[in-house]
């Protein structure tokens, strides 16, 4: 947006701040002192009179861990959580909630037992097969998850109270505020652009600067956790079988050999598969015998290998749970069976400069390209020679006038920058180019989209106003309610 849009935003913040003062002023009549001698053994923090228990902390941590795990398709580890400071995030969120709860109680808000009972009765996890709340199921589920009814119902109480305070913070949107948000959706900019390109193949790597780049970013470059294994492989070729055994095995297992129509295949039709399965069956017995012999040092391992968590053909679940010198029971590997022993577990470590050099070089070139592109873009601003690409709104699609200057993704990112900026003339950096632009004309009339975006504009305005109000309110509450942190973070 252009500068005048920023003035409207400032107006919005001012009106919200006035609302905060009104809320706080009304709520803190008779605010009293606090007991600082409370037993800390069962709390991770205290906000005013509100304690944050370990149960609450564990629940919040679990919720956040589950959320990030889902975002990462299940590939989120405790090591990553520790690196991200997930425990601190959990504490901070709980402190914010307790600040709001303290304020809600100061305002005289409360939650009745009937409200808690109503909420519980509508939680389907506690419903029986008939769809009715089942008290026994409720108690059993809580017990299995190490929760007492008192603890769980306190959590429900706090959630309901937070809903009430959030409802109070959900102020109505004024017409001029709605107009401001509407403008951000409906505004149209006429644009001129100039593409600045740079071939990064011409960038020379300075070894000293490269090492400095690694120093600044070395925590990004980690080795994979690896496992050094002593292995013993059993090939099915060591198993000798005769026709009589093949026939007997087929008769016993012929239901496993069917065609696509479900018809049982004859021995001749399935013989190769029968032989393979028979050998593997006998090989498994041999593998179990070898496993015992290896544990007794009556047999020697035949090969040492190193694998990582990315080697999916090994029983990673068992290996990851094992300790050094543990044996891994026989498992299918390739066309036979393998037995393994954990010799050494190599934890995740920061790569040395030499180990990370290739990857760091890519980052170095990317950063160097960005610096050089920005320099060229700034020069181009002073001598702008853009071409007219037409008029666009925030959600416009790329058209023929844009041509090959940007692809669809880049164009969407470009428009986002243009409409989020308060500059009439600026630039947007991409990996291999910079797009210098100038807004030559701006219009607010876009009646065709006004109805389409009406609901989105209203919701966006409400959410933004509530978020800003809550942010400013929390700043004030931090000054008024003492915060004591007992939990100092994960130091492992």
């Amino acid at each position: 947006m252009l500068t005048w849009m920023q003035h409207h935003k400032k107006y919005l913040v001012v009106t919200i701040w006035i609302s905060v003062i009104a809320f706080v002023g009304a709520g803190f009549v008779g605010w009293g002192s606090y007991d600082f001698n409370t037993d800390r053994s069962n709390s991770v923090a205290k906000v005013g009179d509100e304690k944050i228990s370990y149960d609450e902390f564990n629940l919040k941590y679990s919720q956040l861990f589950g959320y990030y795990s889902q975002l990462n398709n299940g590939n989120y580890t405790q090591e990553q959580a520790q690196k991200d400071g997930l425990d601190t995030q959990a504490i901070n969120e709980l402190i914010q909630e307790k600040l709001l709860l303290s304020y809600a109680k100061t305002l005289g808000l409360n939650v009745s037992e009937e409200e808690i009972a109503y909420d519980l009765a509508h939680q389907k996890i506690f419903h029986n097969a008939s769809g009715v709340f089942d008290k026994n199921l409720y108690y059993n589920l809580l017990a299995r998850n190490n929760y007492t009814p008192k603890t769980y119902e306190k959590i429900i109480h706090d959630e309901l109270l937070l809903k009430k305070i959030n409802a109070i913070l959900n102020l109505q949107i004024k017409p001029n505020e709605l107009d401001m948000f509407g403008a951000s959706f409906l505004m149209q900019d006429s644009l001129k652009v100039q593409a600045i390109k740079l071939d990064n193949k011409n960038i020379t790597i300075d070894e000293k600067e490269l090492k400095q780049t690694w120093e600044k970013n070395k925590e990004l470059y980690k080795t994979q956790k690896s496992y050094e294994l002593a292995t013993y492989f059993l090939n099915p070729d060591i198993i000798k079988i005769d026709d009589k055994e093949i026939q007997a095995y087929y008769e016993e297992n012929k239901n496993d050999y069917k065609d696509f129509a479900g018809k049982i295949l004859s021995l001749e039709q399935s013989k190769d598969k029968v032989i393979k399965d028979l050998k593997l069956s006998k090989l498994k017995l041999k593998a179990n015998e070898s496993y015992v012999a290896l544990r007794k040092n009556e047999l020697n391992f035949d090969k040492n290998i190193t694998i990582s968590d990315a080697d999916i053909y090994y029983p990673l679940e068992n290996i990851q749970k094992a300790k050094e010198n543990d044996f891994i029971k026989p498992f299918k590997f390739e066309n036979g069976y393998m037995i393994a022993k954990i010799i050494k577990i190599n934890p995740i470590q920061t790569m040395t400069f030499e180990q990370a050099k290739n990857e760091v070089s890519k980052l170095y070139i990317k950063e160097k390209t960005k610096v050089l592109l920005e320099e060229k873009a700034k020069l181009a601003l002073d001598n702008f020679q853009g071409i007219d690409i037409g008029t666009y709104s925030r959600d416009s699609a790329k058209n023929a006038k844009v041509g090959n200057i940007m692809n669809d993704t880049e164009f969407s990112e470009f428009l986002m920058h243009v409409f989020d900026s308060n500059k009439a003339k600026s630039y947007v950096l991409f990996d291999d180019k910079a797009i210098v632009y100038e807004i030559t004309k701006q219009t607010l009339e876009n009646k065709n989209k006004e109805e389409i975006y009406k609901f989105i504009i209203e919701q966006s305005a409400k959410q933004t106003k509530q978020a800003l109000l809550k942010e400013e309110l929390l700043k004030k509450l931090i000054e008024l309610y003492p915060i004591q942190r007992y939990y100092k973070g994960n130091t492992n």
Side-chain angles (χ1 to χ4, degrees):
M1 296 298 115
L2 298 181
T3 307
W4 68 269
M5 284 293 293
Q6 297 301 312
H7 292 314
H8 284 274
K9 184 177 179 183
K10 288 176 183 176
Y11 166 78
L12 179 61
V13 174
V14 169
T15 58
I16 287 172
W17 177 240
I18 291 169
S19 301
V20 172
I21 294 171
F23 270 115
V24 175
F28 282 95
V29 177
W31 178 67
S33 60
Y34 292 89
D35 176 18
F36 289 92
N37 298 315
T38 306
D39 180 13
R40 305 177 181 187
S41 61
N42 295 318
S43 303
V44 294
K46 184 181 176 187
V47 180
D49 284 335
E50 293 283 335
K51 293 179 182 178
I52 299 174
S53 69
Y54 276 96
D55 283 340
E56 289 175 293
F57 171 64
N58 288 332
L59 179 62
K60 178 64 73 175
Y61 184 91
S62 297
Q63 289 171 341
L64 289 172
F65 188 89
Y67 171 73
Y68 287 114
S69 183
Q70 193 172 20
L71 282 183
N72 291 276
N73 297 316
N75 298 317
Y76 193 70
T77 63
Q78 289 294 351
E79 289 86 354
Q80 187 62 45
Q82 185 175 338
K83 181 181 175 183
D84 292 343
L86 202 65
D87 54 344
T88 303
Q89 185 180 340
I91 292 284
N92 290 341
E93 288 195 14
L94 286 167
I95 285 174
Q96 287 189 2
E97 290 175 6
K98 294 298 183 183
L99 284 168
L100 291 171
L101 287 170
S102 296
Y103 180 54
K105 291 175 181 178
T106 303
L107 290 176
L109 299 177
N110 58 60
V111 175
S112 67
E113 290 184 1
E114 289 77 13
E115 288 175 293
I116 296 171
Y118 181 84
D119 189 273
L120 282 173
H122 287 78
Q123 292 188 19
K124 292 184 179 180
I125 193 172
F126 302 127
H127 288 185
N128 58 24
S130 302
V132 178
F133 179 81
D134 188 320
K135 187 181 287 187
N136 291 328
L137 178 61
Y138 171 60
Y139 289 138
N140 288 336
L141 277 174
L142 291 186
R144 267 188 271 164
N145 289 279
N146 298 316
Y147 278 97
T148 64
K150 183 179 179 181
T151 301
Y152 187 73
E153 286 161 25
K154 173 69 165 58
I155 292 170
I156 299 298
H157 170 278
D158 289 352
E159 287 178 352
L160 293 174
L161 193 52
L162 283 171
K163 284 182 181 178
K164 291 187 178 185
I165 191 68
N166 283 325
I168 292 176
L169 299 178
N170 190 16
L171 301 180
Q172 290 298 312
I173 298 297
K174 296 177 181 178
N176 58 342
E177 294 168 348
L178 198 57
D179 289 343
M180 187 273 289
F181 275 91
S184 70
F185 279 89
L186 305 176
M187 182 178 290
Q188 297 181 104
D189 289 343
S190 297
L191 295 164
K192 282 186 175 182
V193 300
Q194 179 183 352
I196 307 295
K197 294 193 175 182
L198 180 73
D199 188 353
N200 60 24
K201 292 178 182 177
N202 297 325
I203 293 176
T204 303
I205 295 177
D206 182 295
E207 196 75 9
K208 184 178 178 181
E209 290 180 352
L210 183 64
K211 199 157 191 176
Q212 289 172 346
T213 302
W214 171 74
E215 285 287 353
K216 286 188 295 183
N217 300 280
K218 61 184 178 183
E219 290 305 313
L220 297 175
Y221 302 99
K222 301 285 188 179
T223 61
Q224 284 190 319
K225 188 175 184 179
S226 63
Y227 310 86
E228 296 177 23
L229 309 178
T231 63
Y232 185 82
F233 181 70
L234 293 94
N235 194 306
D237 292 342
I238 65 174
I239 302 297
K240 305 301 178 186
I241 55 176
D242 56 34
D243 289 342
K244 186 177 179 181
E245 287 178 297
I246 295 170
Q247 181 69 45
Y249 187 84
Y250 170 76
E251 291 298 333
E252 187 178 345
N253 300 280
K254 61 184 176 183
N255 283 325
D256 294 337
Y257 306 102
K258 296 178 180 179
D259 62 16
F260 290 113
K263 182 181 177 182
I264 295 175
L265 299 170
S266 67
L267 176 57
E268 288 305 314
Q269 291 173 312
S270 59
K271 193 167 186 178
D272 289 345
K273 183 75 166 61
V274 172
I275 290 172
K276 180 182 177 182
D277 291 348
L278 173 57
K279 283 189 172 185
L280 277 176
S281 176
K282 297 187 76 172
L283 188 65
K284 186 175 182 180
L285 296 174
K286 178 70 175 173
N288 288 334
E289 293 172 0
S290 300
Y291 174 74
V292 173
L294 286 163
R295 289 186 67 93
K296 292 181 177 179
N297 289 323
E298 296 172 356
L299 196 63
N300 295 322
F301 288 97
D302 52 27
K303 188 178 181 181
N304 286 356
I305 61 172
T306 300
I307 67 167
S308 72
D309 286 334
D311 290 305
I312 60 174
Y313 297 106
Y314 294 85
L316 291 175
E317 187 174 349
N318 294 335
I319 291 171
Q320 288 164 350
K321 292 177 182 176
K323 305 183 295 294
E324 289 183 0
N325 296 316
D326 281 359
F327 284 79
I328 305 299
K329 290 181 178 180
F331 56 92
K332 284 184 180 179
F333 183 76
E334 294 181 349
N335 60 336
Y337 273 91
M338 180 177 279
I339 303 160
K341 180 182 179 182
I342 310 288
I343 303 300
K344 187 179 179 184
I345 299 174
N346 300 309
I348 296 171
Q349 293 178 326
T350 301
M351 289 183 181
T352 64
F353 173 65
E354 289 302 323
Q355 287 175 315
K357 193 171 184 178
N358 287 339
E359 290 302 313
V360 176
S361 296
K362 295 175 186 176
L363 177 62
Y364 173 87
I365 290 172
K366 185 176 180 180
E367 290 181 347
K368 200 76 170 177
T369 301
K370 184 178 179 181
V371 170
L372 295 173
L373 274 173
E374 191 158 21
E375 289 174 359
K376 294 181 75 172
K378 287 176 179 177
L379 288 173
L381 277 175
D382 296 331
N383 186 29
F384 185 67
Q385 297 176 348
I387 60 169
D388 186 351
I389 60 168
T391 301
Y392 300 89
S393 55
R394 183 182 287 269
D395 66 337
S396 294
K398 173 188 164 185
N399 63 23
K401 284 188 175 182
V402 178
N404 295 324
I405 298 173
M406 290 172 273
N407 61 35
D408 291 345
T409 303
E410 289 170 341
F411 186 67
S412 295
E413 187 178 335
F414 168 74
L415 285 183
M416 187 184 301
H417 175 93
V418 170
F419 282 93
D420 286 344
S421 173
N422 63 353
K423 296 178 180 179
K425 196 174 180 181
S426 187
Y427 55 86
V428 181
L429 296 175
F430 295 102
D431 288 342
D432 61 344
K433 60 177 169 281
I435 304 296
V436 183
Y437 70 87
E438 181 180 16
I439 299 173
T440 58
K441 183 182 177 184
Q442 194 170 61
T443 56
L444 292 176
E445 294 297 324
N446 195 345
K447 296 296 182 184
N448 293 333
K449 292 184 178 180
E450 192 168 348
E451 285 303 314
I452 297 174
Y453 286 116
K454 184 177 180 180
F455 178 77
I456 295 174
I457 292 168
E458 289 176 354
Q459 292 303 308
S460 178
K462 284 181 181 178
Q463 290 168 8
T464 302
K465 185 169 183 176
Q466 185 179 20
L468 286 169
L469 174 57
K470 186 181 286 188
E471 181 183 339
E472 297 300 330
L473 176 60
L474 285 169
K475 288 178 184 177
K476 196 68 177 175
L477 296 181
I478 287 170
E479 298 173 10
L480 295 167
Y481 291 111
I483 297 172
Q484 299 176 75
R485 292 174 182 258
Y486 309 139
Y487 177 79
K488 301 303 181 185
N490 194 332
T491 56
N492 293 332

